């Protein structure tokens, strides 16, 4: 059955691919934040495990191709590995349920190793599934067309790639929104079970849709694996050459010719073509090492930025959507406008030159990321070192105060209801604090621990000067763009305070509550009860990644008056500043990735396109392994320096590749195969003539 000239089975395959890519990219979008905030790993371990997983996803296609071509056939391989994949996604979703091991109901899992074990099991199953079906689905779609449907087949591949990008784009928008929701049985947490559960459901849908079309598919029987043949041929050539290494054996034109004792001329010629391209692939993994950091380092960079886009709040992991959006725009623009313009300028923009330009652009993108990181680092607050103490003064009274830190370290004047920034002192140097307000003064001995922050609240009045020390247990910027908020009661009566759904309990006069965590960029209702009088106000928008002390100054029947004192400044650099680096990297991807696939196809013999496809995917896997090695070995404490290191490495590799490309000569596999056909015909003719001559000679006897 057909529809618009296409086999009907094609539509099942395209829907399957859309759901599968939604499932994969959706899960991958929130993965690094899941590692960091749920499994409580640091940036480096989160990045390492993320890239190990991606590398595994691109190593398993070789396994999938061998299984499909040698044993199960493409259809059965896709079905069986999709089941493994769906189970993996379901396990991942279960692993992120907070209440699974939260027996004391405090909001954090009691048995992290259980969650880590389940997560790793889920990720291994997903890597097996997604990688194993990767080389099969596109090829299986191609199998559905007859020889007379060449035009429809090439259009199918365009629609197929569009469905990949559409699935990726939608899931990268939707799953971070699901993650940002709050859910849980006992305590409300970021909703990772939903963010992983929806991709799991879509993978189940993909499997059902694919099986539903079973009766309509053309199923090509497995014919034995060319990849295995190529490996055997190379292995035999190396072994044979090693055996005949003494000088008495004459040299052969190419080292692969040593396989001619066992393998036919055609296979050897085709293997030579493949190896020529694979040799060119050696520098390419470095590009992927940079490209795949969008999901790890760049997402972590976005967590230190301001995601307020007017009426929309962007989550850090949603910034990854910039790439698929730009891809959908850039591919047609580059094909229809930029390449024709380059052609008009009489520039011979060969595929290998395009790949070189792609590598150069990717290193530029990382220079842009490094420049942005330098600006972010400038805005980060300085926290006390182990031997230092930091003190901030808040004047809670109606008149100005003067504070002298003894012995003669520093003095500050603070006006009513104002606060200073944090001042840093060597903990062992600070002995006492002298406070003066008008004619009143008080002297207090102090001994503060190192590596801590403190707030000194000062209240002046008829009864004299009251100095209240509060320990600030914030020693890092709030993660994930969240805000920390606490309250100080500056009223003479106890008050009960709630903000949004969070209760701060009852605060006695001059007492400070503990800090509580709130999502960044939103406003919440502050409700206060004082002597049965109820008053409320809406908080200011406190940005992303800030910490504030809110002072309750007045609560009457119609009015709540609060004053904000900034403990940690909010993220000031906007996430939109990441767009230039995403734009440059997407331009790099368009000229690198699309051209690379096209080049591989044009240079591969007809029966070895799958071998080169596997080789191309292998460069992605190796690229992710490079991230692990470089990030692990570099030991750079500054993130911007790591970006510069990656940019420099890719630039060096880019120069090496340009030299290799200069010496590469393009081949036409069809011409080579036609030549082999001609030689085989001549040989067959010669053999036939020799055979006939032999028969003639025998009959004359």
């Amino acid at each position: 059955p057909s529809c618009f000239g296409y086999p009907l089975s094609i539509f099942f395959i395209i829907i399957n691919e859309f759901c599968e890519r939604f499932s994969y990219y959706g899960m991958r979008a929130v993965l690094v934040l899941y590692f960091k905030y749920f499994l409580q790993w640091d940036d480096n371990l989160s990045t390492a495990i993320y890239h190990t997983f991606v590398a595994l996803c691109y190593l398993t296609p070789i396994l999938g191709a061998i299984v499909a071509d040698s044993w199960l056939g493409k259809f059965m391989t896709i079905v069986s590995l999709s089941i493994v994949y769906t189970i993996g996604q379901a396990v991942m979703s279960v692993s992120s349920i907070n209440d699974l091991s939260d027996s004391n109901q405090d909001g954090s899992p009691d048995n992290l190793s259980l969650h880590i074990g389940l997560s790793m099991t889920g990720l291994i199953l997903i890597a097996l599934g997604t990688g194993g079906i990767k080389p099969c689905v596109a090829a299986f779609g191609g199998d559905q067309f007859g020889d007379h449907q060449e035009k429809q087949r090439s259009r199918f591949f365009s629609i197929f790639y569009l469905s990949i990008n559409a699935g990726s784009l939608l899931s990268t928008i939707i799953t971070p929104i699901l993650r940002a929701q709050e859910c849980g049985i006992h305590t409300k947490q970021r909703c990772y079970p939903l963010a992983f559960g929806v991709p799991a459901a879509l993978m189940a849908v993909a499997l059902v849709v694919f099986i539903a079309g079973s009766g309509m598919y053309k199923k090509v029987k497995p014919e034995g694996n060319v990849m295995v043949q190529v490996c055997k041929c190379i292995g035999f050539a190396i072994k044979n050459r090693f055996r005949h290494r003494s000088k008495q054996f004459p040299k052969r034109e190419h080292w692969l010719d040593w396989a001619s004792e066992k393998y036919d001329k055609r296979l050897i010629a085709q293997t030579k073509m493949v190896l020529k391209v694979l040799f060119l692939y050696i520098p390419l993994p470095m590009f992927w090492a940079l490209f795949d950091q969008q999901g790890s380092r760049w997402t972590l960079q976005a967590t230190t930025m301001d995601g307020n886009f007017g009426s929309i709040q962007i989550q850090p992991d949603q910034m990854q959507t910039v790439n698929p959006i730009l891809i959908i725009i850039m591919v047609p623009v580059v094909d229809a406008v930029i390449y024709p313009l380059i052609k008009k300028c009489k520039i011979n923009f060969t595929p290998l030159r395009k790949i070189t330009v792609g590598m150069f652009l990717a290193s530029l993108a990382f220079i842009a990321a490094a420049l942005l990181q330098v600006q972010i680092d400038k805005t980060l607050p300085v926290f006390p070192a182990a031997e230092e103490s930091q003190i901030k003064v808040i004047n809670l009274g109606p008149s100005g105060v003067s504070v002298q830190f003894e012995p003669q370290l520093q003095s500050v004047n603070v006006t009513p209801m104002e606060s200073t920034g944090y001042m840093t002192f060597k903990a062992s140097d600070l002995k006492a604090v002298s406070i003066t307000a008008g004619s009143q003064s008080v002297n207090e001995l102090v001994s503060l621990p190192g590596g801590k922050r403190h707030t000194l609240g000062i209240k002046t009045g008829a009864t004299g000067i009251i100095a209240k020390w509060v320990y600030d247990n914030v020693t890092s910027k709030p993660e994930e763009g969240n805000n920390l908020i606490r309250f100080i009661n500056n009223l003479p009566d106890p008050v009960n305070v709630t903000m949004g759904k969070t209760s701060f309990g009852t605060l006695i006069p001059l007492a400070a509550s503990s800090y509580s965590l709130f999502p960044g960029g939103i406003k919440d209702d502050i409700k206060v009860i004082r002597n049965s009088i109820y008053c409320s106000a809406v908080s200011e928008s406190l940005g992303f990644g800030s910490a504030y002390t809110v002072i309750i100054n007045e609560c009457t029947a119609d009015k709540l008056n609060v004053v904000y004192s900034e403990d940690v400044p909010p993220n000031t650099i906007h996430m939109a500043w990441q767009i230039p680096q995403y734009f440059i990297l997407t331009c790099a991807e368009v000229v690198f990735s699309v051209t690379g696939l096209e080049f591989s196809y044009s240079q591969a013999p007809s029966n070895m396109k799958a071998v080169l496809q596997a080789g191309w995917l292998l460069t992605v896997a190796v690229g992710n392994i490079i991230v692990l090695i470089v990030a692990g070995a570099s030991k750079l404490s500054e993130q911007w320096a790591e970006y510069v290191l990656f940019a420099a490495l890719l630039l060096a590799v880019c120069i090496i590749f340009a030299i290799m490309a200069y010496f590469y000569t393009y081949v036409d596999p069809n011409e080579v195969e036609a030549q082999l056909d001609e030689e085989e015909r001549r040989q067959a003719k010669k053999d036939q003539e020799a055979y006939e001559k032999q028969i003639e000679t025998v009959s004359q006897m």
Side-chain angles (χ1 to χ4, degrees):
S2 68
C3 177
F4 305 119
Y6 293 89
L8 195 59
S9 54
I10 283 306
F11 298 98
F12 289 95
I13 294 168
I14 285 173
I15 293 167
N16 164 273
E17 183 63 14
F18 170 81
C19 294
E20 188 275 325
R21 292 288 85 188
F22 184 105
S23 178
Y24 174 70
Y25 282 108
M27 182 274 308
R28 204 174 109 170
V30 299
L31 195 57
V32 81
L33 297 185
Y34 168 71
F35 291 157
K36 187 170 181 186
Y37 301 120
F38 187 91
L39 298 182
Q40 292 156 26
W41 291 344
D42 65 13
D43 284 12
N44 288 339
L45 183 59
S46 302
T47 302
I49 301 294
Y50 175 87
H51 287 287
T52 306
F53 167 68
V54 177
L56 205 55
C57 288
Y58 285 94
L59 281 170
T60 45
I62 296 167
L63 198 68
I66 292 171
V67 169
D69 290 349
S70 306
W71 297 298
L72 294 178
K74 294 186 195 84
F75 175 77
M76 278 315 293
T77 304
I78 295 169
V79 171
S80 48
L81 286 175
S82 290
I83 293 168
V84 171
Y85 193 166
T86 311
I87 294 167
Q89 287 280 35
V91 170
M92 200 65 209
S93 183
V94 170
S95 79
S96 64
I97 297 172
N98 195 55
D99 297 296
L100 203 62
S101 68
D102 185 14
S103 50
N104 61 0
Q105 300 176 16
D106 65 344
S108 58
D110 302 336
N111 184 358
L112 260 183
S113 49
L114 168 72
H115 295 273
I116 292 168
L118 283 171
S119 303
M120 295 306 105
T121 307
L123 289 177
I124 290 165
L125 294 176
I126 291 168
L128 269 175
T130 187
I133 65 177
K134 207 184 284 281
C136 304
V137 181
F140 187 69
D143 290 347
Q144 306 308 307
F145 295 90
D147 294 337
H148 61 289
Q149 291 178 302
E150 205 53 52
K151 195 176 167 191
Q152 284 96 325
R153 183 185 281 137
S154 76
R155 199 165 291 156
F156 158 73
F157 282 113
S158 300
I159 299 167
F160 188 77
Y161 278 108
L162 195 65
S163 75
I164 290 175
N165 276 304
S168 148
L169 174 62
L170 274 174
S171 64
T172 318
I173 293 170
I174 292 167
T175 48
I177 294 173
L178 300 176
R179 176 192 68 83
Q181 304 306 310
E182 298 209 322
C183 62
I185 302 166
H186 304 303
T187 52
K188 299 294 173 208
Q189 301 290 330
R190 291 287 196 218
C191 205
Y192 289 104
L194 191 60
F196 290 134
V198 170
L202 266 142
M203 194 53 225
V205 170
L207 177 60
V208 170
V209 167
F210 186 73
I211 293 171
S214 176
M216 301 176 201
Y217 299 139
K218 272 190 205 164
K219 296 169 190 166
V220 181
K221 283 195 165 62
E223 298 166 356
N225 197 300
V226 185
M227 213 182 298
V228 175
Q229 286 291 94
V230 169
C231 293
K232 280 182 177 171
C233 176
I234 294 169
F236 182 77
I238 293 167
K239 207 158 57 178
N240 206 22
R241 173 75 190 91
F242 188 73
R243 258 196 232 125
H244 303 94
R245 62 187 180 280
S246 66
K247 288 202 165 65
Q248 69 198 65
F249 298 104
K251 272 190 169 181
R252 298 189 184 181
E253 197 182 328
H254 190 284
W255 63 270
L256 262 176
D257 294 331
W258 286 95
S260 57
E261 279 89 331
K262 191 173 177 183
Y263 294 93
D264 65 1
K265 209 172 177 183
R266 178 180 288 267
L267 181 72
I268 292 169
Q270 289 172 333
T271 307
K272 280 180 191 172
M273 278 192 268
V274 166
L275 285 181
K276 202 174 161 194
V277 179
L278 287 179
F279 176 69
L280 265 188
Y281 279 0
I282 292 170
L284 302 190
M286 202 63 223
F287 173 87
W288 298 112
L290 276 73
F291 183 80
D292 277 334
Q293 287 189 54
Q294 289 176 88
S296 57
R297 290 294 199 214
W298 285 16
T299 300
L300 292 171
Q301 185 185 54
T303 63
T304 61
M305 300 176 80
D306 178 8
N308 184 10
F309 284 78
S311 57
I312 308 165
Q313 305 299 331
I314 297 285
Q315 296 297 326
D317 35 359
Q318 278 179 315
M319 278 307 288
Q320 295 172 58
T321 54
V322 174
N323 177 253
I325 291 169
L326 287 174
I327 277 281
I328 290 165
I329 300 166
M330 295 290 295
V331 170
V333 168
V334 168
D335 279 347
V337 180
I338 294 174
Y339 287 163
L341 274 177
I342 291 172
K343 213 172 186 180
K344 270 204 169 134
C345 298
K346 304 272 190 297
I347 297 169
N348 183 16
F349 205 31
T350 60
L352 291 179
R353 283 178 185 167
K354 289 177 188 173
I355 291 172
T356 312
V357 169
M359 291 166 105
F360 177 71
L361 285 173
S363 80
L364 277 188
F366 265 64
I367 294 293
L371 292 172
L372 179 60
Q373 190 64 46
V374 168
Q375 295 306 316
I376 291 170
D377 290 347
K378 282 181 190 169
T379 68
L380 296 176
V382 178
F383 290 98
E387 68 284 354
E388 293 174 337
S389 275
Q390 287 185 341
I391 300 170
K392 165 188 175 174
V393 179
I394 300 180
N395 183 357
L396 300 169
S399 54
V401 295
S402 175
V403 184
Q404 172 71 47
F405 296 93
E406 307 286 2
Q408 302 299 313
L409 297 173
Q410 191 176 346
S411 68
V412 286
N413 295 315
V414 194
T415 52
M417 297 320 302
E418 290 293 324
S419 55
T420 64
Y422 281 97
M423 295 165 280
T424 307
F425 301 98
K426 203 167 179 193
S428 56
D429 290 351
L430 184 64
K431 306 294 184 197
V433 174
S434 296
I435 304 164
T436 310
S439 59
Q440 298 173 323
S441 68
V442 67
N443 198 23
E444 243 190 45
L445 294 174
V446 289
S447 172
L448 298 178
K452 302 275 192 278
R453 282 184 152 194
H454 301 269
T455 294
L456 173 58
I458 300 169
K459 183 92 181 234
T460 54
T463 53
I465 298 171
I466 301 168
K468 180 85 177 177
W469 287 93
V470 181
Y471 164 50
D472 305 349
N473 60 338
V474 179
T475 49
S476 64
K477 205 166 170 57
E479 297 279 16
E480 223 181 331
N482 290 321
N483 297 322
L484 285 168
I485 292 168
R486 68 174 176 185
F487 287 87
I488 288 181
N489 177 11
N490 197 25
L491 297 170
D493 312 302
V495 292
N496 190 286
V497 185
T498 53
M499 181 166 166
K501 293 175 184 169
T502 307
S503 169
F504 288 85
T506 302
L507 297 178
I508 58 170
L510 293 186
S513 71
S514 300
Y515 282 102
S516 279
L517 208 56
F518 290 85
I522 61 166
K523 298 178 180 183
D524 253 323
D525 288 332
I526 301 172
K527 294 171 186 167
V528 175
I529 301 169
R530 174 195 184 189
N531 296 336
S532 306
I533 296 169
Y534 171 91
C535 53
S536 69
V538 178
S539 73
E540 289 178 9
S541 178
L542 305 175
F544 293 76
S546 69
Y548 280 91
T549 298
V550 184
I551 302 151
I552 298 166
N553 266 338
E554 191 182 341
C555 176
T556 55
D558 58 342
K559 192 175 177 191
L560 170 64
N561 179 283
V562 293
V563 173
Y564 296 88
S565 172
E566 187 182 87
D567 302 337
V568 174
N571 301 342
T572 48
I573 294 187
H574 204 276
M575 273 188 210
W577 283 106
Q578 275 198 324
I579 293 173
Q581 68 203 48
Y582 272 103
F583 175 73
I584 301 168
L585 196 65
T586 305
C587 293
E589 183 190 2
V590 171
V591 289
F592 180 94
S593 187
V594 178
T595 312
L597 285 169
E598 182 193 315
F599 170 75
S600 307
Y601 260 70
S602 70
Q603 299 297 292
S606 54
N607 64 333
M608 296 207 183
K609 304 233 186 262
V611 177
L612 276 184
Q613 190 73 19
W616 178 258
L617 293 172
L618 199 61
T619 64
V620 184
V622 176
N624 280 277
I625 293 165
I626 289 171
V627 180
L628 302 181
I629 296 164
V630 174
S634 70
K635 296 283 177 279
L636 294 169
S637 56
E638 300 292 338
Q639 186 54 55
W640 66 265
E642 192 182 281
Y643 288 145
V644 171
L645 174 67
F646 274 108
L649 286 171
L650 183 59
L651 199 60
V653 167
C654 177
I655 293 163
I656 294 164
F657 181 78
I659 296 163
M660 287 166 69
Y662 179 76
F663 292 105
Y664 182 84
T665 44
Y666 290 85
V667 292
D668 182 353
N670 297 338
E671 226 171 80
V672 176
E673 285 179 354
Q675 232 171 324
L676 288 167
D677 288 343
E678 186 57 41
E679 276 178 34
E680 278 172 14
R681 264 199 300 276
R682 274 199 218 125
Q683 191 60 47
K685 200 175 175 187
K686 259 188 202 166
D687 291 349
Q688 184 66 27
E689 282 169 5
Y691 178 69
E692 282 169 6
K693 229 178 201 174
Q694 213 175 351
I695 295 286
E696 215 174 288
T697 312
V698 170
S699 61
Q700 281 170 1
M701 280 177 173

